[in-house]
Amino acid sequence: MKSVLQFFFLFMCLLVVISLWMVQREPSAIAPSTERATPYAEELGEKLQATNFTKQVLQAIRAAGYSPDSTVGYLIDSPAHQVITIQLHDGEEIDVSTESEIQSIIDELAEKNNLHLFMVNVQLLEHE
């Protein structure tokens, strides 16, 4: 009986050791860090704030007859890859003409504020 208990104890220890080893081998999820922001992204962020670019965007889109959400999303990797996301409240679907018109508005505002052009991502907010 004593040898059965010893065997069981050794087996459990072995399971714990193998489990710990497997957990350490798995890649851990790394949370995004603001420390990795590129100098360009930081400079652009400061310029967006200084020029009130988001406010200008929202006002221009509203003036064109759309109902944007009050938030605008930015994804900045480099001057060649900067994305702006606009969410609209109205409409059944977003067609090509809507995207094109909003892209033109953003392009005009970017040029006016001496910014590189953005790729525009237009999304429709779902009705609750």
Side-chain angles (χ1 to χ4, degrees):
M1 179 73 166
K2 190 174 182 181
S3 64
V4 172
L5 287 174
Q6 287 176 340
F7 177 74
F8 180 73
F9 179 73
L10 287 173
F11 180 72
M12 295 305 285
C13 288
L14 183 62
L15 279 177
V16 169
V17 169
I18 290 173
S19 298
L20 290 173
W21 178 71
M22 290 178 73
V23 167
Q24 289 180 351
R25 287 193 56 206
E26 291 180 10
S28 61
I30 299 173
S33 171
T34 55
E35 294 174 16
R36 294 185 185 185
T38 63
Y40 175 75
E42 291 175 3
E43 289 175 23
L44 181 61
E46 291 171 5
K47 192 166 187 178
L48 292 173
Q49 288 180 345
T51 61
N52 288 321
F53 186 75
T54 301
K55 183 177 180 181
Q56 292 178 37
V57 166
L58 293 173
Q59 288 175 344
I61 292 173
R62 287 184 183 120
Y66 298 103
S67 299
D69 187 48
S70 61
T71 58
V72 173
Y74 297 93
L75 174 62
I76 312 298
D77 288 335
S78 66
H81 188 255
Q82 37 189 58
V83 179
I84 184 170
T85 300
I86 309 291
Q87 295 181 326
L88 300 178
H89 286 288
D90 53 355
E92 292 295 318
E93 63 182 51
I94 299 171
D95 58 8
V96 175
S97 65
T98 300
E99 289 179 338
S100 178
E101 185 174 4
I102 293 175
Q103 179 73 58
S104 296
I105 291 168
I106 303 297
D107 288 349
E108 182 179 317
L109 289 172
E111 288 177 5
K112 176 182 167 188
N113 288 288
N114 297 320
L115 301 172
H116 292 280
L117 299 181
F118 289 87
M119 291 179 275
V120 177
N121 177 19
V122 181
Q123 298 175 348
L124 187 62
L125 290 173
E126 293 184 21
H127 299 202
E128 295 179 12

